[in-house]
Amino acid sequence: MNIDSKKHEEDQRIAKEMLPFFLYAVIPVLIIVFMALKWGPSY
C-alpha cells in the first residue's frame, strides 16, 4: 500500500516536471494543424 502511494507521488512529480516540455511540444503542433486546416487544400 505504502509503496504504491510512493510510486504515485513520484509519478505526479515527474509529470509536473514534464508539463512545460509537453506544452512546448503541443503548441507548435496545434498551430501547424490550425494553419493547415485554415489555409491548406480542401479535400
Side-chain angles (χ1 to χ4, degrees):
M1 179 74 187
N2 196 13
I3 295 167
D4 286 346
S5 67
K6 188 89 167 168
K7 175 95 170 73
H8 182 68
E9 232 173 75
E10 191 176 323
D11 288 347
Q12 276 189 328
R13 186 177 58 80
I14 292 169
K16 218 173 271 183
E17 288 179 12
M18 289 302 291
L19 190 62
F21 300 103
F22 180 71
L23 287 176
Y24 282 126
V26 165
I27 288 169
V29 171
L30 289 177
I31 291 170
I32 291 167
V33 168
F34 172 75
M35 286 169 59
L37 290 174
K38 191 164 169 58
W39 294 292
S42 53
Y43 297 105

